[in-house]
Amino acid sequence: MLLQRLARAGFRVVGIEAGPFWDTERDWVSDEAGSSKLYWNDLRITGGEDPITLGANNSGRGVGGGSVHWAAFTPRFHPSDFRVYSQDGVGVDWPIAYEDLKPYYELLEKEMPVSGPAYFPWGDPHGYIYGPHPMGAVGDVLINGCTKLGIRVSVGGPVAILAGSHDDRQHCIYRGFCIQGCKVGAKQSTLISHVPDALRHNAEIRADCMVSRINMGKNGRVTGVNYFDADGHERELKAKVVIVCGYAIETPRLLLNSACPGFENGLANSSGTVGKYLMVQIGNVVLGRFAEPIRMYKAPPAHALTEEFYETDPKRDFVRGFAIQTVGPLPIAFAKQMMVAKGAWGWGMRRVMMDYNHWSALGVLGEILPWEDNRVELAHETDRFGLRVAKVTFRLHDNDKKIAKFGVAKTTEIMHAAGAQEVVEEARYAHLVGGARMGKDARSSVTDSFGRTHDIPNLFVCDGSLLPTQGSANPGLTIQALAARTADYLISEGANVLAGRPGVVTRPPVRQNLSPAGTSHKGVPRIK
C-alpha cells in the first residue's frame, strides 16, 4: 500500500521482501497442504505461560505478506478503541482518534473494494457501497442463533472479497480457499490490488532478499540497509528514508538486530519498548454439529459477524469485549481443531472427518490488552543468514481470560440456539499486532502517529506493530489505512523528512488520486 502510493507520487522506492514474488497461476494451488509455503515458517522461539503458535495463523512470507492469506474480514475499529485508557482505565490511548482514520476507512472500502451490508450498526454506524455476499450455511447458523436470542447480526460482510466482477478481477466463486491465496483474485491482497500499480509507476521490488540490519550514519540518521540477496550474498542499499514493514515479529527483530553505538539496546529503542506490548486476539473456535449438511467451504470463511459484545459492559466482570464471526476451516484445519476439542485420533478421527460436512464453526475474536511482559526479544539461536531469530514470550492476564470464557459461553449459547446437536471448543489465538507502538510520549512508545520513530527522523515503521491496542476487529483494514495515511504524510512532509526536520503537518490531505486506476469512485450510491 505504501510502496504503491509513494511510487504514484513520484518517489523512487524499493521494496525488499524476504519471500518470493508470487506467480498466482504457477505458485498457488487450491490445496490446503500445498499452501504452506505462503506462511513464515522459519525458526522462531515461542514460550511463556500461554505461548503463541507462530506460522500459518499469523505470518506471511512473500510479496503481499500476510494479506495473501488473510480471510479479508474488514470491520473498522470502533471510536472507543482509540481511547481505551481514557474510557476504561486500561491499556493506553492512541495518539490519533477514530476521526483521523475514518476518511481512509471510507477510501479503502471503495479501493479494495469491500463487500458489505447497506447498514452496519456498531461503532461508528456506516454502510458499504458494494453489496454483500450471499449467505453460506455457516452464516445461517450465526444468523439463526443470534436471531433466536435477540442479538443483532451483520449479514454478508464486511469482507474485501468481490461479490461481483470488478475491473480486471474475477468475482468470488465460493470454493473456500480464501486463506490459501485465492487463485482467482477475488480476494483483496496487496499483491493483487496495489503491487501491479506500484510497478507501473516505477517502484522496484527485490524479492527473496532478507534484510539483515538497518545502517546508522554519523549524523543521527539511517543511511540504508544491508540485505542478503537471492544467492545469499550480502549487499547494501543506500536510502534517504527507511520504512520498516516487517510486521509484529520481524519488525522488532530487525530493530533489535540493528543495535549499534548509541542504540545498544536496539535501533529507535531509547524508550525500551521495542518488542514490548505484543498482542494477539482471543481466537477460540466453537464448533457445532448439525443434523443437516453445512459444508463450511461453500462461502468465504468470513462473511457474517456480530459486534454486540464489543464494548465494555459494566454488568460484566471485565472491560472491553469481543466479536463473534463465521470461520470456515478446511479439512486439515478442522482435523487439528478436533484433535484439541475432542481428543480425536486414529479411527475416531476418521469418523469425525467423515462427518465434516455437518459441522459449523464460529470464532470468538476478543481483545487482549497490551501488557509489557508480552514481548519479542532476540533468541540465542540464529537463522541460515546468521541472524538471531525472534523469541516470543506471552501470557494471558485475568481480564483476557475472562473475555475468553464469556465469549466462548455466549458463542456456545448461539450454537445451541441455532440447533447444534453437539458443541465443542478449540482454544487459540488470532492476529499479531504491537511490538513497536505509536504514541505521543517518546518515553513510552517507538513512533509518532505517522510511524516516524521518535529517535531517528528518517526511520519509519509502517505495519501492524504500530498498534497501541487492537480492539475486537480484524486489524487488516486498519493497518492498510495507517499505511495510506503515512504515505500522505510523507508526500506532504518529504522535504522536512529528508532534511531531518520535525514535521509541521498534523492532518495531511487525504489524496483520493493515489488509488490504483479503476478502483476508487465506483459502485452504487451509498445508502444513507
Side-chain angles (χ1 to χ4, degrees):
M1 178 74 69
L2 186 63
L3 191 81
Q4 176 266 332
R5 278 167 154 71
L6 294 180
R8 259 191 175 261
F11 284 67
R12 184 184 177 193
V13 286
V14 178
I16 303 180
E17 165 59 48
F21 199 126
W22 301 113
D23 181 323
T24 60
E25 289 298 317
R26 186 187 68 238
D27 297 330
W28 290 0
V29 292
S30 297
D31 177 85
E32 212 177 341
S35 299
S36 61
K37 59 189 176 184
L38 300 178
Y39 316 129
W40 191 294
N41 290 317
D42 287 5
L43 177 66
R44 288 164 168 170
I45 310 300
T46 183
E49 292 181 18
D50 305 288
I52 299 168
T53 299
L54 299 171
N57 185 45
N58 46 38
S59 299
R61 188 183 185 94
V63 177
S67 71
V68 163
H69 67 85
W70 70 323
F73 229 155
T74 51
R76 302 179 186 179
F77 279 16
H78 288 203
S80 66
D81 289 325
F82 297 83
R83 52 175 190 267
V84 169
Y85 181 77
S86 295
Q87 180 169 302
D88 295 306
V90 295
V92 66
D93 287 345
W94 288 49
I96 59 175
Y98 169 85
E99 289 71 24
D100 293 302
L101 278 193
K102 181 177 180 177
Y104 292 99
Y105 284 149
E106 294 176 337
L107 176 61
L108 293 185
E109 285 162 0
K110 291 183 292 184
E111 190 172 303
M112 287 176 160
V114 171
S115 302
Y119 182 71
F120 191 84
W122 300 286
D124 173 27
H126 57 281
Y128 296 90
I129 63 173
Y130 293 99
H133 285 269
M135 281 296 91
V138 179
D140 289 339
V141 167
L142 180 61
I143 293 164
N144 292 338
C146 285
T147 300
K148 288 183 179 180
L149 296 173
I151 299 168
R152 291 184 298 177
V153 63
S154 173
V155 176
V159 61
I161 299 174
L162 300 180
S165 297
H166 182 91
D167 202 41
D168 62 350
R169 286 168 55 196
Q170 177 63 278
H171 59 77
C172 182
I173 59 174
Y174 304 110
R175 63 191 180 88
F177 283 93
C178 304
I179 62 174
Q180 283 73 35
C182 185
K183 196 173 181 71
V184 301
K187 187 193 75 172
Q188 188 264 357
S189 69
T190 53
L191 175 68
I192 299 295
S193 61
H194 288 79
V195 167
D197 192 71
L199 297 178
R200 283 192 293 268
H201 288 83
N202 301 315
E204 181 185 349
I205 295 178
R206 300 184 186 180
D208 294 306
C209 294
M210 179 68 181
V211 177
S212 55
R213 66 179 297 109
I214 302 164
N215 298 322
M216 277 294 295
K218 296 180 180 179
N219 57 355
R221 301 169 65 194
V222 295
T223 60
V225 300
N226 279 19
Y227 69 95
F228 289 94
D229 66 17
D231 297 319
H233 300 125
E234 189 165 16
R235 302 185 181 279
E236 182 180 9
L237 178 64
K238 297 284 190 179
K240 295 181 178 179
V241 177
V242 173
I243 309 169
V244 187
C245 308
Y247 204 41
I249 303 295
E250 294 303 311
T251 285
R253 178 194 175 197
L254 177 58
L255 294 174
L256 295 172
N257 267 326
S258 299
C260 61
F263 291 101
E264 287 80 6
N265 297 318
L267 215 55
N269 195 25
S270 65
S271 64
T273 57
V274 168
K276 295 182 179 179
Y277 304 103
L278 182 74
M279 293 169 282
V280 289
Q281 286 170 316
I282 294 158
N284 296 47
V285 176
V286 176
L287 303 107
R289 190 201 181 279
F290 290 79
E292 67 277 11
I294 300 295
R295 299 187 178 92
M296 289 186 284
Y297 58 90
K298 282 191 171 290
H303 66 281
L305 81 160
T306 177
E307 291 186 348
E308 200 72 355
F309 308 99
Y310 194 107
E311 304 287 354
T312 296
D313 184 343
K315 297 177 183 177
R316 302 193 292 246
D317 64 346
F318 56 85
V319 295
R320 306 308 295 158
F322 60 94
I324 303 173
Q325 306 177 342
T326 60
V327 291
L330 296 178
I332 294 176
F334 176 74
K336 292 177 180 177
Q337 289 168 343
M338 286 301 173
M339 286 173 60
V340 175
K342 289 173 68 72
W345 192 256
W347 280 103
M349 176 65 81
R350 294 186 71 171
R351 285 193 293 271
V352 170
M353 294 307 296
M354 287 187 285
D355 218 19
Y356 167 75
N357 280 337
H358 285 266
W359 286 86
S360 175
L362 300 177
V364 179
L365 197 65
E367 179 169 358
I368 292 177
L369 295 169
W371 305 104
E372 186 175 4
D373 58 344
N374 291 333
R375 62 195 184 276
V376 178
E377 301 169 288
L378 294 180
H380 295 296
E381 293 85 348
T382 58
D383 64 10
R384 60 192 175 98
F385 302 110
L387 305 174
R388 293 175 67 183
V389 302
K391 175 186 175 184
V392 180
T393 304
F394 197 85
R395 76 179 179 99
L396 293 169
H397 291 242
D398 287 344
N399 195 79
D400 311 324
K401 294 176 182 178
K402 289 177 180 179
I403 290 177
K405 182 179 179 181
F406 188 95
V408 168
K410 182 59 64 175
T411 307
T412 301
E413 184 182 357
I414 290 170
M415 275 288 193
H416 284 302
Q421 301 169 320
E422 177 187 2
V423 180
V424 297
E425 173 220 350
E426 178 210 19
R428 60 185 289 276
Y429 299 119
H431 305 131
L432 283 164
V433 295
R437 69 181 184 180
M438 62 168 73
K440 292 181 180 179
D441 190 344
R443 296 170 297 179
S444 59
S445 60
V446 179
T447 82
D448 67 12
S449 70
F450 296 103
R452 190 179 190 179
T453 60
H454 295 301
D455 295 345
I456 304 169
N458 66 331
L459 176 64
F460 284 70
V461 173
C462 188
D463 56 33
S465 63
L466 289 176
L467 274 58
T469 60
Q470 59 170 343
S472 298
N474 310 61
L477 174 65
T478 296
I479 292 169
Q480 294 190 50
L482 288 170
R485 181 173 177 268
T486 292
D488 283 342
Y489 174 81
L490 282 165
I491 294 165
S492 296
E493 290 284 4
N496 286 330
V497 171
L498 293 176
R501 296 190 295 264
V504 297
V505 173
T506 57
R507 182 168 288 188
V510 180
R511 292 175 169 84
Q512 307 272 346
N513 63 339
L514 294 181
S515 298
T519 59
S520 189
H521 305 298
K522 286 192 174 183
V524 297
R526 182 185 299 274
I527 297 174
K528 298 294 186 181

